[in-house]
Amino acid sequence: NAGVTQTPKFQVLKTGQSMTLQCAQDMNHEYMSWYRQDPGMGLRLIHYSVGAGITDQGEVPNGYNVSRSTTEDFPLRLLSAAPSQTSVYFCASSYSFPREQFFGPGTRLTVL
Amino acid sequence: KNQVEQSPQSLIILEGKNCTLQCNYTVSPFSNLRWYKQDTGRGPVSLTIMTFSENTKSNGRYTATLDADTKQSSLHITASQLSDSASYICVVSGGGANSKLTFGKGITLSVRP
């Protein structure tokens, strides 16, 4: 099993650009989520999904969209990047909530 | 308000020594408490997960304790190794209508030779 994979590993964007962070898992987990991690702060939940076709907002959803068309994939879209979205983004999955979560390796995003 | 407070913020110890990391929480009702290890530049990896009825759980040289009455947990690392240098994150899952994860800010541990 590859576990949770994320691409790209690093990305630099200009303000106003859009992009999609990819997340995939091969463990047949129903629950997937996106977090951002900023210095001096704990991980903050952006969006989550309890299964294919079902998504919901987390703590900091503004400026981000998600979709869940398959069990395996959970992409995160930045609609119009802003410097405040400079962060490290982690995708995580679990069999269900609140079971143990498995995290991906992260995407380091810089918005200039 | 759900909160998870970890202490100390950072810690430096010598290789081979033991250390204890603290986690206090105000999450209620409570479902479970997890400790994660996050190496620099990597995603968090689960060390232990404890429910209300569990007081102690071990994973190799890592031993977590939970006191649900005082809402405190600790992570004890025995005979530290250089590879233990990382950030340790305490995460509490609420129960019932409070079903969400609350993350601590993490404790940065540096193990020096």
Side-chain angles (χ1 to χ4, degrees), chain A residues 94-112:
Chain A
S94 61
Y95 183 74
S96 64
F97 185 88
R99 301 274 292 271
E100 178 186 7
Q101 283 189 302
F102 295 83
F103 284 83
T107 295
R108 183 174 295 273
L109 175 69
T110 301
V111 183
L112 303 175

Side-chain angles (χ1 to χ4, degrees), chain A residues 2-98:
Chain A
V4 180
T5 58
Q6 291 184 236
T7 57
K9 194 167 181 62
F10 301 94
Q11 183 70 50
V12 179
L13 291 178
K14 294 181 179 178
T15 297
Q17 288 185 315
S18 62
M19 79 158 295
T20 300
L21 307 185
Q22 301 292 344
C23 174
Q25 52 90 12
D26 61 358
M27 298 174 282
N28 202 31
H29 285 169
E30 292 295 326
Y31 186 87
M32 295 186 73
S33 52
W34 276 101
Y35 296 89
R36 60 178 290 172
Q37 187 175 41
D38 301 295
M41 304 186 72
L43 286 153
R44 293 184 291 170
L45 181 65
I46 303 171
H47 285 284
Y48 66 97
S49 169
V50 298
I54 306 170
T55 63
D56 207 345
Q57 295 181 351
E59 181 185 356
V60 288
N62 292 341
Y64 308 94
N65 273 357
V66 292
S67 60
R68 184 96 179 269
S69 57
T70 67
T71 298
E72 294 78 19
D73 301 297
F74 190 43
L76 177 72
R77 281 183 289 277
L78 278 69
L79 310 172
S80 177
S84 60
Q85 294 179 305
T86 293
S87 187
V88 182
Y89 292 85
F90 290 100
C91 178
S93 75
S94 61
Y95 183 74
S96 64
F97 185 88

Side-chain angles (χ1 to χ4, degrees), chain B residues 11 13 17-21 34-39 45-50 55-66 73-89 107 109-111:
Chain B
L11 185 61
I13 62 172
K17 297 297 186 181
N18 304 335
C19 69
T20 300
L21 314 179
R34 312 130 186 249
W35 282 95
Y36 284 89
K37 178 187 179 190
Q38 185 176 20
D39 293 318
V45 174
S46 179
L47 293 175
T48 65
I49 180 169
M50 291 185 291
N55 301 115
T56 303
K57 197 163 226 181
S58 292
N59 179 356
R61 294 179 297 101
Y62 301 99
T63 299
T65 64
L66 173 65
S73 176
S74 64
L75 181 69
H76 186 75
I77 304 175
T78 303
S80 61
Q81 300 177 358
L82 298 179
S83 60
D84 292 330
S85 294
S87 177
Y88 292 84
I89 303 170
I107 297 170
L109 174 65
S110 297
V111 181

